């Protein structure tokens, strides 16, 4: 969603329109998995659309992002909501995710950030999360994915073309839907407990659990 | 096979030169060149497709690893000055590409022109890897290796060679040709080919004559509100455009008032379009559109420790180390393009920007400006246009 990120002040409203409101519902659903006082990490937290939902559920959230402008919006909002002591914001990239402590988090979540990572980065992050999440902790992902069935792939492709051209003209970048997310999560050693795809199959809500093995 | 490779190389070079205005991203990650082992050198470049292709060609015959880092498909210099090729891109590619398992050393050779956007100190702190500044042009890499990582003045400097000038001219001409064809073809079918020739002719004249009028562009003298040098250059180019029109009129042997007016308006527009940011389109003169143009480099001499890092990263060879005092001094201040590389890299914050009014841009601000202020910084006309579009 590069168009909107280059204009962070319009990001939230823009993304709701582009996803036809779907994002709000998806995020609400995914947040259901969070309990009061959970320690939560938000990867690529942006303006904090996921972070603040978690805070409202009583969680303590750490969010990081490489884009300082998005972060400054999150910070302003934290002040407005009087939630500054519940949210820690860090400017860094996913490659530094191994700078957190072992067992530092009960939940690691990410909304629309994995689709902006390279394959190497995705595999790196999935691997390193295991070093910072407690055993039995949950990984929550809401993101754009490639549909599985051929027919839906074609529909997805047709719908995406105008969007891709539009984004490219404005920002000369495109974001890519993730392919094979479930396989990647599983082969990284998580147990997927729930997935929900939308009708077109191009948006996923994924819940996975991490169990530390004794070996 | 060899020959088809070469054909492919030429073809891609032509196509991507013509569409140079637009980024063309390619896959990030670690590429093997030859058969490297755990002691082989590690190079880094951006993920602009054409750059990767050219760097790979320059590395032929050298066993090494090439890390292609995310710059959103933009060339090294623009991306690093614009904050797209930044610390994050480098940290990420070092840690996620698997290079740490492939080599035993921790030395990475970065393109010198990435220096405005990547802080060698931060990379060392976050990854433990040491940055070595390579040559400005990938073509010099083989001799850079032969000389044991020592760069000559030539290898440090950015040039605007005749080939580069033809490339830039073609890029402009191609862009304008497309727009022109769309507008003109339906209206004046017969005239369009001649007009296209005029577009290419003007573009080539502007950039081929560049060395001749370059000193004029550097003139500081002002006439009323505009720079005298620029006016003179504008007139020279306009004159050559007029020659084009005269030739056309003679060639078709037909004199018609509307035709002449049409050609004049059209030619003047093309000249203005190319001239708006002529300086910014060249790598050797600072864009006239940037606020920093009124700033110049200031030196806090006492703090200098004589590391020579600024000399390594300056693409215009502005600096020299005083061998007696071991302090830095500027020997070519007038050549400075205000890229900020020296300020960003100086470990002791000796250098900063200052203007005539006494306003200062601190090293920290330069670092922040260059890094991460994604899309907020316009470095030349191309950035300006795309950023305006985004803000609109
Ligand atoms: C589409 S936004 C989603 C933001 C937020 N999670 C939300 O749902 O509103 C993606 C975010 O990921 C961030 N991002 C992209 N690549 C990243 C990386 N390598 N490391 C950390 N954050 C990254 C971007 O800066 C951007 O803020
Ligand atoms: S100015 Fe800074 S980078 Fe240059 S020699 Fe002195 S200390 Fe080194
Ligand atoms: S002296 Fe000027 S041209 Fe040289 S590195 Fe510094 S800012 Fe760039």
């Amino acid at each position: 969603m590069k168009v909107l990120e280059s204009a962070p002040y319009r990001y939230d409203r823009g993304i709701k329109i582009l996803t036809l409101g779907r994002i709000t519902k998806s995020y609400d659903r995914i947040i259901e998995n969070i309990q009061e006082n959970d320690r939560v990490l938000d990867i690529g937290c942006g303006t904090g659309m996921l972070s603040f939902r978690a805070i409202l559920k009583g969680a303590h959230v750490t969010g990081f992002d490489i884009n300082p402008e998005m972060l400054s919006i999150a910070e302003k909002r934290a002040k407005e909501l009087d939630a500054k002591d519940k949210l820690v914001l860090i400017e860094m990239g996913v490659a530094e995710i191994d700078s957190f402590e072992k067992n530092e988090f009960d939940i690691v979540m990410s909304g629309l950030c994995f689709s902006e990572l390279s394959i190497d980065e995705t595999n790196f992050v999935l691997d390193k999360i295991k070093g910072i999440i407690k055993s039995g902790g949950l990984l929550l992902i809401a993101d754009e994915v490639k549909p599985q069935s051929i027919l839906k792939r074609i529909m997805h492709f047709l719908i995406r073309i105008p969007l891709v051209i539009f984004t490219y003209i404005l920002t000369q970048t495109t974001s890519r839907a993730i392919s094979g997310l479930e396989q990647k999560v599983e082969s990284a050693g998580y147990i997927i407990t729930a997935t929900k795809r939308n009708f077109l199959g191009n948006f996923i809500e994924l819940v996975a659990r991490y169990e530390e093995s004794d070996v | 096979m060899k020959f088809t490779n070469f054909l492919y190389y030429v073809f891609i070079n032509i196509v991507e030169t013509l569409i140079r205005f637009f980024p063309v991203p390619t896959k990030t990650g670690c590429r093997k060149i030859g058969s490297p082992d755990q002691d082989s050198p590690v190079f880094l470049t951006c993920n602009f497709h054409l750059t990767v292709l050219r760097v790979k060609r320059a590395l032929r015959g050298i066993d090494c690893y090439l890390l292609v880092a995310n710059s959103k498909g933009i060339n090294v210099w623009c991306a690093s000055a614009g904050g797209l090729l930044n610390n994050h891109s480098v940290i990420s590619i070092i840690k996620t590409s698997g290079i740490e398992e492939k080599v035993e050393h921790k030395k990475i050779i970065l393109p010198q022109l990435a220096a405005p956007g990547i802080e060698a100190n931060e990379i060392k702190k976050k990854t433990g890897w040491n940055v070595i500044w390579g040559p400005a042009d990938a073509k010099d890499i083989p001799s850079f290796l032969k000389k044991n990582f020592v760069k000559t003045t030539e290898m440090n400097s950015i040039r605007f060679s005749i080939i580069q000038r033809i490339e830039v001219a073609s890029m402009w001409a191609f862009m304008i040709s497309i727009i022109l064809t769309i507008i003109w073809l339906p209206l004046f079918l017969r005239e369009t080919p001649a007009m296209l020739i005029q577009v290419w002719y003007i573009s080539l004249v502007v950039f081929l004559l560049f060395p001749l009028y370059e000193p004029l562009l550097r003139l500081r003298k002002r006439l009323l509100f505009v720079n005298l040098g620029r006016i003179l250059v504008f007139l020279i180019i306009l004159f050559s455009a007029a020659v084009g029109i005269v030739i056309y009129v003679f060639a078709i042997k037909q004199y018609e008032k509307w035709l002449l007016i049409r050609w004049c308006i059209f030619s003047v527009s093309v000249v203005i379009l190319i001239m708006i940011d002529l300086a910014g389109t060249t790598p050797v003169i600072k864009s006239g559109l940037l606020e920093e143009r009124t700033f110049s480099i200031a030196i806090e001499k006492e703090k200098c420790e004589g590391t020579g890092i600024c000399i390594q990263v300056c693409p215009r060879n502005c600096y020299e180390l005083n061998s007696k005092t071991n302090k830095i001094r500027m020997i070519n201040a007038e050549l400075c393009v205000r890229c900020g590389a020296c300020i960003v890299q100086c470990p002791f914050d000796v250098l900063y920007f200052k203007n005539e009014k006494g306003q200062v841009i601190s090293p920290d601000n330069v670092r922040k400006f260059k890094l991460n202020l994604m899309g907020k910084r316009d470095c030349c006309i191309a950035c300006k246009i795309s950023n305006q579009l985004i803000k609109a």
Side-chain angles (χ1 to χ4, degrees):
Chain A
M1 288 301 146
K2 294 279 166 47
V3 200
L4 298 167
E5 279 162 44
S6 48
Y9 45 92
R10 275 192 248 125
Y11 173 82
D12 290 359
R13 209 176 32 163
I15 203 145
K16 265 178 220 156
I17 297 170
L18 270 181
T19 58
L20 306 170
R22 171 183 79 193
I23 198 78
T24 322
K25 283 187 208 128
S26 287
Y27 279 6
D28 284 343
R29 266 194 302 265
I30 211 120
I31 288 297
E32 294 285 300
N33 296 288
I34 296 176
Q35 314 289 321
E36 203 174 332
N37 285 327
D38 273 353
R39 300 157 304 161
V40 177
L41 177 65
D42 188 355
I43 298 175
C45 61
T47 57
M49 283 173 87
L50 270 174
S51 302
F52 289 111
R53 282 181 167 76
I55 287 173
L56 289 178
K57 288 211 76 180
H60 297 269
V61 180
T62 303
F64 73 83
D65 200 292
I66 38 171
N67 187 337
E69 288 181 71
M70 300 281 266
L71 286 175
S72 70
I73 289 175
E75 200 173 311
K76 211 168 95 204
R77 194 166 300 160
K79 221 181 261 165
E80 283 163 13
L81 291 175
D82 218 8
K84 277 200 89 171
D85 54 331
K86 293 218 156 183
L87 179 64
V88 180
L89 295 170
I90 308 173
E91 186 198 323
M92 64 176 222
V94 291
E96 294 171 67
I97 195 169
D98 51 357
S99 59
F100 294 108
E101 302 287 321
K102 196 162 189 275
N103 294 328
E104 194 170 331
F105 300 104
D106 304 303
I107 307 263
V108 175
M109 63 182 181
S110 178
L112 291 171
C113 178
F114 272 91
S115 49
E116 296 192 4
L117 304 181
S118 69
I119 296 175
D120 284 346
E121 283 174 329
T122 303
N123 291 333
F124 178 88
V125 174
L126 288 175
D127 184 48
K128 296 299 175 192
I129 290 172
K130 294 184 287 182
I132 61 175
I133 197 171
K134 70 162 191 201
S135 185
L138 294 183
L139 170 64
L140 312 174
I141 299 175
D143 218 319
E144 291 178 308
V145 285
K146 291 223 175 87
Q148 280 159 324
S149 81
I150 304 265
L151 190 69
K152 285 185 177 172
R153 263 185 195 222
I154 294 169
M155 279 167 68
H156 164 78
F157 184 68
L158 291 178
I159 291 175
R160 263 184 80 85
I161 293 176
L163 191 66
V164 167
I165 293 175
F166 179 66
T167 345
Y168 186 84
I169 290 174
L170 284 186
T171 66
Q172 288 115 41
T173 45
T174 56
S175 65
R176 247 167 302 143
I178 322 167
S179 60
L181 180 67
E182 287 101 319
Q183 290 89 307
K184 286 188 179 114
V185 168
E186 271 175 346
S187 62
Y190 302 84
I191 305 148
I192 295 181
T193 56
T195 55
K196 179 176 176 358
R197 281 180 184 247
N198 63 344
F199 168 70
L200 257 185
N202 60 3
F203 194 89
I204 200 170
E205 296 154 32
L206 180 149
V207 182
R209 201 175 62 240
Y210 172 63
E211 298 287 353
E212 201 170 347
S213 55
D214 305 326
V215 267
Chain B
M1 193 60 202
K2 272 271 157 64
F3 185 66
T4 50
N5 275 352
F6 180 72
L7 276 187
Y8 174 76
Y9 181 76
V10 171
F11 175 73
I12 294 289
N13 264 280
I14 293 174
V15 171
E16 290 189 15
T17 298
L18 292 181
I19 57 164
R20 191 75 198 239
F21 258 119
F22 298 96
V24 184
T26 181
K27 237 184 92 181
T28 59
C30 177
R31 315 265 214 278
K32 262 192 197 177
I33 316 276
S35 35
D37 59 19
Q38 71 273 15
D39 298 318
S40 299
V42 177
F43 293 90
L44 180 141
T45 191
C46 63
N47 78 328
F48 178 43
H49 184 253
L50 185 58
T51 305
V52 174
L53 203 70
R54 288 182 175 173
V55 172
K56 270 163 84 176
R57 197 170 172 81
L59 290 175
R60 271 184 321 173
I62 302 171
D63 295 324
C64 62
Y65 291 101
L66 176 64
L67 301 183
V68 179
N70 190 1
S71 66
K72 310 260 159 80
I74 294 175
N75 70 66
V76 171
W77 211 18
C78 289
S80 79
L84 293 171
L85 181 63
N86 53 29
N87 294 342
H88 298 306
S89 337
V90 178
I91 294 170
S92 178
I93 200 76
I94 289 179
K95 291 182 73 172
T96 68
S97 65
I99 189 69
E100 301 200 273
E101 286 88 60
K102 291 190 182 112
V103 293
E104 276 174 358
H105 61 82
K106 282 182 182 282
K107 279 180 285 194
I108 184 162
I109 301 163
L110 298 193
Q112 182 195 321
L113 294 184
I118 295 167
E119 295 169 73
N121 280 339
E122 280 293 299
I123 304 301
K124 171 84 184 169
K125 211 162 74 195
K126 296 268 170 69
T127 64
W129 280 61
N130 292 303
V131 167
I132 298 172
W133 296 109
D137 190 334
K139 279 198 201 98
D140 290 330
I141 288 177
S143 40
F144 171 70
L145 289 183
K146 254 186 227 132
K147 290 207 164 66
N148 250 324
F149 302 116
V150 177
K151 288 199 287 175
T152 60
T153 317
E154 251 78 71
M155 294 183 196
N156 267 343
S157 36
I158 177 92
R159 276 148 291 184
F160 198 29
S161 68
I162 181 143
I163 295 185
Q164 279 169 311
R165 281 183 276 131
I166 293 176
E167 280 177 11
V168 175
S170 317
M171 166 189 99
W172 273 109
F174 184 72
M175 288 278 294
I176 300 173
S177 303
I178 292 199
I179 301 170
L180 180 83
T181 315
I182 295 172
I183 303 174
W184 228 256
L185 210 56
L187 296 175
F188 308 98
L189 179 65
R190 284 205 1 248
E191 198 170 292
T192 307
M195 278 219 170
L196 290 178
I197 294 175
Q198 171 83 338
V199 170
W200 284 81
Y201 161 71
I202 294 178
S203 312
L204 283 168
V205 163
V206 170
F207 288 97
L208 287 180
L209 292 186
F210 179 76
L212 296 181
Y213 61 71
E214 187 184 351
L216 284 178
L217 281 182
R218 292 181 194 282
L219 273 186
R220 284 283 176 97
K221 261 220 175 73
R222 284 175 163 267
L223 187 75
L224 294 174
F225 295 103
V226 268
N227 188 300
L228 187 64
R230 275 165 215 243
I231 297 261
L232 286 174
V233 175
F234 185 66
L235 291 178
I236 298 174
I237 309 289
L238 222 46
F239 176 76
S240 0
V243 173
I245 301 179
V246 171
I247 295 176
Y248 176 66
V249 171
F250 268 104
I252 59 165
K253 291 201 185 71
Q254 140 189 12
Y255 173 78
E256 188 204 321
K257 195 169 75 193
W258 285 118
L259 178 138
L260 214 55
I261 293 178
R262 202 158 62 223
W263 270 68
C264 286
I265 294 179
F266 151 79
S267 299
V268 172
S269 326
V270 171
V271 173
I272 290 179
L273 188 62
I274 299 182
M275 292 282 300
I276 290 179
D277 190 27
L278 183 57
T281 319
T282 75
V284 288
I285 304 185
K286 189 69 196 173
S287 166
L289 300 175
L290 254 187
E291 277 164 43
E292 284 118 84
R293 72 178 184 278
T294 57
F295 284 79
S296 48
I297 301 276
I299 307 179
E300 267 185 83
K301 261 213 176 100
E302 322 77 63
K303 290 212 264 172
C304 174
E305 297 283 335
T307 61
I309 295 173
C310 49
I311 302 177
Q312 291 283 311
V313 296
C314 177
R316 304 289 289 154
N317 294 306
C318 295
Y319 293 105
E320 188 186 76
L321 213 49
N322 184 327
S323 52
K324 280 197 208 105
T325 57
N326 202 30
K327 302 273 182 201
I328 207 71
R329 65 170 175 216
M330 279 195 112
I331 47 168
N332 287 323
E334 73 287 352
L335 293 183
C336 171
V337 289
R338 293 162 186 83
C339 68
C342 53
I343 302 180
V344 170
Q345 302 303 332
C346 173
F348 299 103
D349 287 357
V350 175
L351 312 166
Y352 56 97
F353 280 131
K354 194 175 173 182
N355 67 3
E356 282 155 6
K357 289 187 212 145
Q359 289 168 313
V360 161
I361 309 179
S362 71
D364 274 341
N365 266 336
V366 178
R367 287 180 191 120
K368 205 171 157 191
F369 253 107
K370 308 287 159 162
L371 312 170
N372 304 331
L373 260 188
M374 294 169 174
K376 267 287 177 69
R377 218 184 104 89
D378 307 328
C379 75
C380 60
I381 184 90
C383 300
K384 196 113 192 158
I385 293 171
S386 66
N387 286 340
Q388 286 310 323
L389 273 173
I390 292 166
K391 280 176 207 144

